Amino acid sequence: MSFAKASVRDADVAGKRVLVRVDFNVPLDGGRVTDDTRIRAALPTIELLRERGASLVLVSHLGRPKGAVKPELSMKPVGERLGELLGGALVRQAPAVVGDDVRTMAEGLHAGDVLLLENVRFEPGETENDQGLAADLASLADLYVNDAFGAAHRAHASTAGVAEHLPAYAGLLLEREVTELSRVVESPARPLVVVLGGAKVSDKVGVIDRFLEVADEILIGGAMCFSFFRAQGIATGDSLVEEEGVKLAEEALRRAGESSCDLRLPTDLVLGKTFDAETEVRQSDGVEVPDGWMGLDVGPETARAYADAIAAAGTVLWNGPMGAFELEPFAAGTRAVAEAVAAAPGTTVVGGGDSVAALQQFGLGEKVDWLSTGGGASLELLEGKELPGVEALNDA
Ligand code: ADP
Ligand code: MG
């Protein structure tokens, strides 16, 4: 899917009210936004619309209020942070998602004004893609723009249903995400090297399947590798092994045997006694893990081999840390991959909340060509699934 949807860049928005679905699902701590990456990512679309004389009605979800009003999941701190990022502009905060008061506020907007609706998941109709809620949201505006790539894999009222009631355009972030991620699968510079790690095979088996068909190499790390080792009959000790993942890994190994893509596993590990930064640590030359020990990182030989493959790649896609990088004794494998990705001459794309967090933690976020803001959505796109929030938009 190269991008074939109508773009906000081509929309006639002057003097119009635009409902913009954004992904402001940011982490909060005591009523403060602790990471505003997702708010910043929506600024280009918001600024474009304001510059072109539109008024904006922004809508997002935040956390999982499950259809009830949860004051601790109010959008208020998000609106305050957005105002700061817009250079002190006033961000009006709606008292609810829809209703008469909200409509009155929307109707009072002038060119350049911004109104932020309350957490759309306060409404039970949101996740049910309720047509009544979709129609109520649509009635607040003349046009709809979806810039919430991180929520585009969900068919909800604010991501899909609303597009049936208004002319519907892609925002700049959503368009860029789809373009960058699609290119990795459809027309990558070769060789295409895919580095996959993280906790569970079951999260990423769809991506493994897809890349066994299109990639040149898949490099596996993280706890995920222990499902593969278990499937090969190798002892995994007390390592985190996802039982469901063992069957999936066995299946992936079988398909890899028939594929021209090289599926590579770690050749050495770093072990710890418990999931703890203070635990006893030991390197292991092979990949057998004795009882009483857990594999918590890939070893230096694996890290070097993976870094070499990344350096030789035309395109690198990285999703999922190589180990328990939050614990310093087990961060080296992830750091080595992050540094290799940052230094790679090829095109580099990183997705997944924890992999992006790892890159930022090492101060390397700026050195990557594209950092995806969408965890689940980016995986589904890479798997080749259609994203309801993209499909619902008008064709270009
Ligand atoms: P992403 O968000 O990048 O997609 P995941 O959510 O799949 O990544 O996995 C990240 C988590 O996996 C991290 O919290 C990390 O501590 C954990 N992890 C990685 N390797 C191991 C391991 N060997 N043992 C236990 N946990 C691990
Ligand atoms: Mg994660």
Side-chain angles (χ1 to χ4, degrees):
M1 150 173 63
S2 37
F3 204 74
K5 293 296 178 178
S7 165
V8 65
R9 282 178 286 113
D10 305 318
D12 180 12
V13 301
K16 305 263 176 67
R17 224 178 309 138
V18 183
L19 178 73
V20 189
R21 178 49 159 108
V22 285
D23 178 7
F24 284 171
N25 184 28
V26 292
L28 293 178
D29 185 14
R32 247 193 61 253
V33 175
T34 54
D35 178 353
D36 61 8
T37 307
R38 285 182 162 167
I39 306 176
R40 289 175 187 275
L43 292 178
T45 293
I46 293 170
E47 280 163 352
L48 176 93
L49 288 167
R50 294 181 78 209
E51 278 161 21
R52 292 191 179 171
S55 56
L56 281 74
V57 179
L58 304 179
V59 60
S60 176
H61 75 282
L62 178 60
R64 295 169 183 265
K66 306 229 167 99
V69 175
K70 297 260 166 69
E72 69 277 16
L73 291 175
S74 165
M75 298 302 292
K76 283 212 176 60
V78 177
E80 283 159 16
R81 184 73 193 117
L82 174 63
E84 289 165 15
L85 291 170
L86 290 174
L90 172 67
V91 174
R92 293 163 174 78
Q93 308 245 13
V97 181
V98 288
D100 290 342
D101 293 348
V102 178
R103 183 187 315 278
T104 304
M105 287 180 86
E107 286 169 356
L109 296 174
H110 299 285
D113 288 350
V114 179
L115 171 66
L116 176 60
L117 302 185
E118 245 322 341
N119 188 340
V120 70
R121 288 196 193 163
F122 286 179
E123 289 288 332
E126 165 64 358
T127 56
E128 293 157 14
N129 195 8
D130 176 71
Q131 280 310 300
L133 177 60
D136 285 348
L137 285 168
S139 74
L140 298 173
D142 308 303
L143 300 169
Y144 170 70
V145 170
N146 188 359
D147 211 22
F149 178 72
H153 57 318
R154 306 284 185 223
H156 292 171
S158 71
T159 60
V162 65
E164 288 169 32
H165 301 272
L166 291 174
Y169 298 85
L172 299 175
L173 172 66
L174 181 137
E175 182 180 4
R176 181 92 194 267
E177 288 271 14
V178 174
T179 304
E180 297 289 345
L181 294 168
S182 301
R183 187 185 301 141
V184 170
V185 193
E186 290 171 5
S187 54
R190 302 242 169 222
L192 169 59
V193 174
V194 177
V195 189
L196 295 176
K200 296 185 189 160
V201 187
S202 55
D203 282 351
K204 294 177 188 172
V205 70
V207 176
I208 297 175
D209 277 355
R210 184 86 190 280
F211 282 113
L212 280 172
E213 287 166 22
V214 300
D216 298 287
E217 286 182 90
I218 300 177
L219 315 178
I220 303 275
M224 197 163 57
C225 71
F226 298 107
S227 292
F228 284 87
F229 290 143
R230 179 78 63 83
Q232 292 176 324
I234 296 170
T236 55
D238 297 346
S239 305
L240 187 67
V241 181
E242 185 197 12
E243 289 303 333
E244 182 200 351
V246 178
K247 271 234 126 355
L248 298 171
E250 207 173 279
E251 195 40 33
L253 285 166
R254 194 189 55 71
R255 266 193 308 275
E258 298 160 359
S259 157
S260 62
C261 172
D262 201 3
L263 180 72
R264 295 169 59 181
L265 294 168
T267 56
D268 62 345
L269 298 169
V270 180
L271 313 180
K273 290 236 155 187
T274 54
F275 193 95
D276 186 324
E278 310 299 320
T279 192
E280 196 179 330
V281 180
R282 184 172 121 186
Q283 303 237 358
S284 81
D285 286 344
V287 291
E288 272 183 35
V289 183
D291 285 341
W293 292 87
M294 326 170 63
L296 288 171
D297 194 10
V298 300
E301 178 186 85
T302 305
R304 249 189 323 274
Y306 286 8
D308 288 347
I310 290 165
T315 307
V316 184
L317 172 75
W318 177 30
N319 183 303
M322 296 290 99
F325 74 98
E326 306 93 329
L327 310 176
E328 185 50 38
F330 308 105
T334 302
R335 185 181 285 113
V337 163
E339 285 171 354
V341 169
T347 303
T348 51
V349 178
V350 179
D354 292 287
S355 336
V356 171
L359 261 172
Q360 308 281 30
Q361 181 182 315
F362 303 139
L364 298 170
E366 304 281 298
K367 303 239 161 89
V368 172
D369 293 312
W370 185 246
L371 281 182
S372 179
T373 55
S378 68
L379 289 174
E380 291 198 16
L381 188 150
L382 293 167
E383 284 171 35
K385 290 189 185 153
E386 288 191 339
L387 304 183
V390 177
E391 293 309 311
L393 302 173
N394 291 16
D395 291 328

